[in-house]
Amino acid sequence: MSAWLRDLALGARLARSGGRGARSRVVLTAIGVALGVALLLVAASLPHMLAARDARTDARSDLQLSGPPPVAGVGTLLVADVNDRFRADDVRGRLLRAEGPVAPIPPGLERLPAAGELFVSPALAELLRSEEGALLRERLPQPIAGTIGDAGLAGPAELAWYRGSDDLRLRADDGTVRRIDRFGEPGGSTAPDPVMQLLAVVVLTALLLPVAVFVATAARFGGEARDRRLAALRLLGADMAMARRIAAGEALVSALLGLLLGALLFLGVRRLAGEVTLFGLSVYPGDVTPSAGLALAVALGVPTAAVLLTLAALRGVVVDPLGAVRRARPRRRRVWWRLALPLLGVLLLLPLIGGDTRSAAEHELQLAAGVVLVLVGVAALLPWLVEAAVHRLPGGGVAWQLATRRLQLDSGASARVVSGIAVAVAGAVALQTTFSGVENGYVSGSGDGRTADVWAHDDGRPGAGAQRLAAALQGSDGVRGAVVAGEQIEAGHGDTTEYVRVADCATLRRVAPIDRCADGDVFVVGEVTSLRPGARLRLDGGTSWTIPRDARVLQRWRGSPDPDDGASYSIPDPVLATPGALAGLPLRPRTTLATVTLADDGRDAIEHVRNTVARLDETATVAMLGGRSYDREYANLRRALFAGAVAVLTLIGASMLVGALEQLRERRRPLAVLAAFGTPRGALARALLWQTAIPVALGLALAVAAGAGLGAALLRMVGEPVGFDLASIAGLAATGAAVVLLVTLATLPALRRTVRPEGLRAE
Amino acid sequence: MSATEPLLAAHDLRKAFGPTPALDGASIEIAAGEVVAVMGPSGSGKSTLLHCLAGVARPDTGSVRYRGRELSGCGDAELSALRRGEFGFVFQFGQLVPELSCVENVALPLRLEGVGRREAERRARTWLERLEVAELAGKTPGQVSGGEGQRVAVARALAIEPRVVFADEPTGALDSLNGEQVMRLLREAAQESGAAVVLVTHEPRVAAWSDREVVVRDGRTAATEPVLP
């Protein structure tokens, strides 16, 4: 043990006092390790980030799911959801009206807003003050009376507001206006969706493995120069074991320095966390706190890995005291254990296929282990695959020959760097395949992005609300085509719930093949309901109404009309009534529906429509039919994948660049000699490109195969049919290839410097 | 090029690396087929002179003419083409490309000149035979000794049948026996193919293989003297 410590300490001293070359290698490795450590610490903070966010959103929850509904009293509050969107961002809005002096106050506010008072989040305040927010200001014209504190917001970039209202009333049971006696629902967050859990496990695995591969690669930077230095130690009497331990000591210094730099980088990132919104996700700096266990694992794991990797790397190197460093004739890589890893992974995943989704998600550990083994298998198989493939490559031009011979001599370094990309792409392909497969369950909306649906409330006489909404929309900015408007009334019939659509004759003709029509007429769409004339219905849960006996039964309904004609409902409500048919009935506020065709000019047509609708009913919902609307949890996961993939690919690109520069530095002399006897720089650049591109092409092929297989398995686990999104897979592969091209381009200036005659100097 | 014009001539070359002058008015002329030893102590500027003569480095001022053509006016691509087609190089440590086999190393300049792989390797094997290292054809540089590597490097330099061979301390890393062998083979092969040799060395024993010596001191060519038979 003391020999170990002595040799490690000697290595550390040599790293510090080994001159400029040794120090620059230490710094290079430390920077690589630091990037990885910072990313690992961010990942280690994820549990706390999510928990803190959930705790805040739970604490402000105004959905009282447990206990009996509260009755009006001194401690109750009426709350209306006014959730909205502004361009690509969600806006959370609430109207509040206290019913007594001790009504609950939402977290982040010091008092309840008085009628007309607006309290906003800092991000919304900034947006409303800016030119960008001019259109949103039309919906929120009140002066800002206060700011919502951090405790009341999901994150610093959240757009949220509370406004006092003195005319808020409980409506029919549509849930838009609620009575509550407290904020916060213990455990208010719904249980995570098992499919989401499953995807989250794969996202984390796919993103973190490349980081681990990167740290392992960074720990081996500068290996050749280190080997030469070890020869001098051998001359002084160090045996091979001592030399390896001394080298490990050097690596330890780099790793510890990297750990320190990584921690500092993480603190810097943490300070900036509040300022940055990545793909719609924002967090407070305080949320970015690594969990103690994971931070400890990073702090201990990185230096330990650096020492072990150095010892492992030196097993294949013979350093003799006369300065000759030989790579032991590289043994052909064995495939059995490399293949065993993904096979074991598949064996772990197989039992989860075909069962129900929940059981797959409940076996989180088994799933994670399976996914990790398959992805680690990609990283382990790649060096073997590259070695096996490059020995079979045919001859070609000079650049090709230089590249393939280099890879035949030592493909390990290239394959190691590329395995980071391969794992990232394999994970991303698996996820992309899974996302595409389960998308239908989490995405709503379809169409061409030119039409919007409006749901508003109206408590006037039946039919009048639709006319009011239609008139307002016809005159609104942002509306191009005709407006199809109507009202929808819930109609109970026995144990079933049907709907009655109330609209004028012109509107009804657009959704059903009606020839004769006058106010007071009623139609039954026979194809979609068993209701017939004479049936008794309970409208809005109370008012009794009989479908007139002279109501006409339509045998067919019209399909979706041309969106230019004011796109409409693909399947009409079963009963269609003109306003006169329901005149005089005491009906409570009803849902008024409209479909509008948006103007083509500019992105803000929908914002004008929202403003128009908000003037009629603040709580109205306006949804783009063409805008694909993702389930929030699903959207967050997709965003996390994109954010993580960007970070990982940047990291891997940096790693490849550092690796390529390191190799150029090591090969300064041979390259200068090649240039001296007239090798065109273009040929040298192409050789570099091939040298990177060949392993990357093999890596991507392996990654796509493994990723698609894994994706198919995950789809089977969640009971979805297997299908592949070829465009996305091609896109991911192209991204990997682009990283290679960029790295090669970035190394060209260094190549130019390397082939200068100074490289020929032997002294 | 007139009959009396030297094959390669440098006049008043000056070159500095930062504040340090490496060449300070060096001049030299080399005739076709001539073996010239450039001698001088370490750091005197002899390697820099060789690099300037070969178009590997550009002098700050002064002129280098090859077969009547001024090299300072040539672009990088022209200089590369000149080095590929007309010059051969041998360096102190052989400087073979480590990932290529010996025969591929020797064939490389031919392939850069556009000769097909099979033909280039056939010619390379002939040169390896002439340099008495035919058995090393399939080995990589890491598998051969220093002296063997230098002989492969000489074969590589001569494979394109250059007009000038530039040899920078070609025996510097060899023992005397191996050094003698390499010099004998280099001299014989160059003479057979009619190539001039510019030989940078600080060893009189090596310089003895040349027709003439040029001494470089503090960046200047101090003297030119014929080697006594």
Side-chain angles (χ1 to χ4, degrees):
Chain A
M1 191 64 197
S2 64
W4 264 86
L5 290 176
R6 186 195 61 217
D7 295 340
L8 286 173
L10 177 59
R13 271 203 302 281
L14 283 174
R16 280 205 318 273
S17 58
R20 221 176 105 206
R23 277 197 297 273
S24 67
R25 269 187 300 279
V26 167
V27 170
L28 205 64
T29 305
I31 289 172
V33 172
L35 286 169
V37 165
L39 212 59
L40 285 174
L41 288 176
V42 170
S45 308
L46 271 178
H48 189 260
M49 276 194 260
L50 295 175
R53 198 180 160 93
D54 280 352
R56 286 193 298 272
T57 52
D58 284 352
R60 73 179 184 187
S61 168
D62 47 25
L63 286 170
Q64 274 184 227
L65 302 171
S66 56
V71 290
V74 291
T76 58
L77 181 76
L78 290 181
V79 182
D81 285 359
V82 195
N83 292 332
D84 192 7
R85 282 183 74 76
F86 182 66
R87 294 180 181 142
D89 298 315
D90 287 330
V91 182
R92 180 185 193 264
R94 293 289 186 271
L95 292 172
L96 306 175
R97 186 169 80 83
E99 292 185 302
V102 288
I105 299 170
L109 298 190
E110 288 175 357
R111 62 177 174 83
L112 283 172
E117 272 190 338
L118 180 67
F119 285 65
V120 298
S121 65
L124 181 57
E126 196 178 324
L127 178 64
L128 289 173
R129 276 196 297 270
S130 70
E131 273 299 302
E132 278 283 287
L135 276 170
L136 183 60
R137 223 163 25 235
E138 288 186 29
R139 266 172 272 169
L140 296 168
Q142 300 79 8
I144 295 170
T147 306
I148 306 171
D150 295 354
L153 297 170
E158 188 182 33
L159 303 176
W161 58 266
Y162 288 105
R163 201 175 74 225
S165 166
D166 54 8
D167 58 357
L168 204 58
R169 303 276 180 278
L170 272 187
R171 292 176 181 168
D173 300 324
D174 67 352
T176 309
V177 183
R178 296 180 297 280
R179 174 176 288 129
I180 60 168
D181 58 7
R182 63 173 189 274
F183 278 96
E185 186 70 4
S189 313
T190 47
D193 177 343
V195 176
M196 288 295 123
Q197 263 179 287
L198 196 135
L199 290 176
V201 168
V202 185
V203 167
L204 274 177
T205 310
L207 295 182
L208 288 183
L209 262 183
V211 178
V213 170
F214 169 76
V215 171
T217 308
R220 294 193 188 193
F221 286 159
E224 290 186 26
R226 176 205 56 207
D227 297 348
R228 284 198 296 274
R229 214 160 49 255
L230 292 181
L233 291 169
R234 294 275 284 120
L235 192 61
L236 295 175
D239 59 27
M240 248 339 270
M242 282 172 74
R244 279 185 203 130
R245 290 196 294 266
I246 290 168
E250 284 190 44
L252 188 62
V253 170
S254 307
L256 290 173
L257 187 62
L259 200 59
L260 186 68
L261 285 176
L264 291 174
L265 188 62
F266 168 73
L267 289 177
V269 168
R270 190 174 186 264
R271 277 170 64 99
L272 290 175
E275 311 293 320
V276 180
T277 303
L278 206 55
F279 302 109
L281 291 178
S282 70
V283 288
Y284 289 108
D287 297 345
V288 191
T289 304
S291 74
L294 292 175
L296 190 67
V298 172
L300 294 177
V302 169
T304 309
V307 168
L308 294 179
L309 283 166
T310 308
L311 293 176
L314 281 172
R315 272 188 325 171
V317 176
V318 181
V319 182
D320 77 33
L322 288 174
V325 178
R326 294 191 305 279
R327 305 253 150 229
R329 181 84 185 157
R331 276 179 304 174
R332 294 301 285 261
R333 291 186 166 85
R334 295 200 183 102
V335 70
W336 67 265
W337 69 267
R338 296 167 196 273
L339 210 51
L341 291 171
L343 284 178
L344 198 59
V346 170
L347 284 179
L348 283 173
L349 294 176
L350 271 178
L352 302 177
I353 296 173
D356 65 275
T357 305
R358 193 159 294 283
S359 97
E362 277 168 5
H363 292 87
E364 214 172 280
L365 200 64
Q366 185 178 346
L367 172 69
V371 172
V372 168
L373 281 170
V374 171
L375 293 180
V376 168
V378 169
L381 265 176
L382 193 58
W384 172 83
L385 181 69
V386 172
E387 185 184 82
V390 294
H391 279 96
R392 288 171 177 77
L393 287 174
V398 170
W400 176 263
Q401 187 183 43
L402 285 171
T404 52
R405 290 289 185 271
R406 179 75 194 160
L407 288 171
Q408 283 165 2
L409 194 70
D410 178 19
S411 59
S414 308
R416 267 195 301 277
V417 176
V418 172
S419 51
I421 276 199
V423 171
V425 170
V429 167
L431 288 165
Q432 197 59 48
T433 304
T434 318
F435 276 131
S436 306
V438 301
E439 195 167 74
N440 288 339
Y442 297 90
V443 180
S444 53
S446 60
D448 56 3
R450 291 163 56 202
T451 54
D453 262 355
V454 177
W455 291 269
H457 286 89
D458 194 276
D459 53 3
R461 64 181 173 78
Q467 285 166 3
R468 255 195 304 277
L469 182 60
L473 288 170
Q474 293 284 13
S476 168
D477 285 343
V479 175
R480 177 166 65 87
V483 175
V484 179
E487 290 171 25
Q488 197 177 43
I489 303 171
E490 205 176 278
H493 178 67
D495 293 336
T496 61
T497 301
E498 304 274 11
Y499 288 92
V500 176
R501 173 70 56 88
V502 185
D504 58 25
C505 288
T507 305
L508 293 183
R509 280 199 182 96
R510 288 205 170 124
V511 294
I514 297 169
D515 43 5
R516 284 176 298 111
C517 176
D519 192 28
D521 285 354
V522 175
F523 307 89
V524 177
V525 185
E527 204 177 348
V528 299
T529 182
S530 59
L531 290 177
R532 287 297 175 266
R536 287 182 73 82
L537 303 175
R538 286 185 318 281
L539 298 184
D540 253 348
T543 307
S544 179
W545 180 67
T546 305
I547 301 175
R549 298 216 172 263
D550 60 352
R552 265 168 282 158
V553 179
L554 307 172
Q555 292 310 324
R556 290 181 301 111
W557 51 277
R558 205 186 291 278
S560 285
D562 181 353
D564 283 345
D565 191 30
S568 188
Y569 326 99
S570 52
I571 301 176
D573 292 324
V575 181
L576 308 175
T578 50
L582 302 173
L585 290 176
L587 296 171
R588 291 182 296 179
R590 297 165 304 281
T591 305
T592 306
L593 305 159
T595 302
V596 296
T597 309
L598 299 172
D600 289 332
D601 51 339
R603 58 176 180 154
D604 284 331
I606 187 73
E607 298 306 326
H608 288 293
V609 171
R610 284 186 176 128
N611 287 349
T612 300
V613 174
R615 280 193 284 273
L616 290 178
D617 175 14
E618 268 193 303
T619 61
T621 303
V622 179
M624 291 275 287
L625 278 177
R628 287 148 74 82
S629 158
Y630 291 87
D631 176 284
R632 181 173 301 276
E633 208 177 343
Y634 177 79
N636 281 345
L637 202 59
R638 270 200 107 134
R639 284 171 185 164
L641 174 66
F642 280 125
V646 167
V648 167
L649 279 176
T650 309
L651 190 70
I652 290 169
S655 141
M656 290 179 81
L657 183 60
V658 171
L661 294 177
E662 170 73 13
Q663 206 175 70
L664 278 181
R665 211 160 62 89
E666 298 283 359
R667 291 173 41 73
R668 196 168 41 130
R669 236 183 254 169
L671 284 171
V673 169
L674 281 168
F677 61 78
T679 312
R681 276 189 200 141
L684 294 177
R686 282 197 301 281
L688 270 183
L689 178 67
W690 286 128
Q691 209 177 306
T692 319
I694 292 169
V696 167
L698 291 166
L700 288 178
L702 182 65
V704 167
L710 194 56
L714 291 170
L715 277 177
R716 297 297 304 134
M717 267 178 226
V718 297
E720 293 286 343
V722 175
F724 299 105
D725 181 355
L726 294 179
S728 298
I729 290 176
L732 285 165
T735 309
V739 170
V740 175
L741 264 180
L742 284 175
V743 167
T744 307
L745 281 176
T747 52
L748 289 184
L751 175 67
R752 192 174 281 271
R753 283 195 301 278
T754 303
V755 297
R756 283 178 188 164
E758 286 83 349
L760 294 170
R761 299 178 77 84
E763 295 92 339
Chain B
M1 189 178 88
S2 69
T4 54
E5 193 171 353
L7 179 70
L8 184 62
H11 179 67
D12 197 20
L13 296 183
R14 289 169 201 277
K15 183 162 180 73
F17 295 104
T20 316
L23 292 179
D24 190 15
S27 299
I28 189 171
E29 287 186 355
I30 290 134
E34 186 182 26
V35 180
V36 177
V38 178
M39 294 196 66
S42 187
S44 60
K46 43 189 197 303
S47 288
T48 306
L49 175 62
L50 179 135
H51 293 159
C52 289
L53 288 173
V56 174
R58 289 178 189 274
D60 298 337
T61 60
S63 96
V64 178
R65 294 180 77 81
Y66 172 69
R67 301 179 72 199
R69 183 176 166 203
E70 177 57 52
L71 295 191
S72 63
C74 295
D76 185 60
E78 283 174 281
L79 286 176
S80 292
L82 187 69
R83 295 198 299 269
R84 266 198 315 271
E86 310 260 316
F87 299 164
F89 294 88
V90 185
F91 299 97
Q92 181 173 0
F93 293 102
Q95 309 291 29
L96 300 172
V97 181
E99 51 266 37
L100 300 183
S101 66
C102 289
V103 70
E104 285 171 338
N105 260 288
V106 177
L108 189 59
L110 291 165
R111 296 203 63 201
L112 289 171
E113 271 293 89
V115 179
R117 188 161 63 91
R118 282 174 201 282
E119 173 60 15
E121 289 185 7
R122 188 192 62 74
R123 285 201 236 167
R125 284 180 200 283
T126 312
W127 277 101
L128 286 173
E129 274 170 33
R130 286 177 71 174
L131 271 294
E132 300 166 9
V133 281
E135 72 283 4
L136 305 180
K139 293 190 173 174
T140 56
Q143 296 169 310
V144 304
S145 72
E148 290 170 331
Q150 277 308 77
R151 279 190 266 173
V152 175
V154 171
R156 183 176 66 178
L158 294 166
I160 53 161
E161 296 177 9
R163 288 177 190 273
V164 188
V165 175
F166 295 95
D168 191 356
E169 304 277 12
T171 60
L174 303 180
D175 58 55
S176 55
L177 187 61
N178 267 309
E180 290 289 311
Q181 254 183 338
V182 167
M183 280 314 302
R184 174 178 61 79
L185 290 167
L186 174 61
R187 164 108 212 182
E188 283 173 8
Q191 238 168 9
E192 278 173 34
S193 60
V197 179
V198 181
L199 176 67
V200 165
T201 182
H202 61 273
E203 292 179 73
R205 184 170 47 81
V206 176
W209 288 93
S210 68
D211 302 323
R212 175 163 72 91
E213 286 177 12
V214 173
V215 178
V216 180
R217 210 165 268 130
D218 299 329
R220 293 192 200 110
T221 36
T224 302
E225 48 202 63
V227 176
L228 294 174

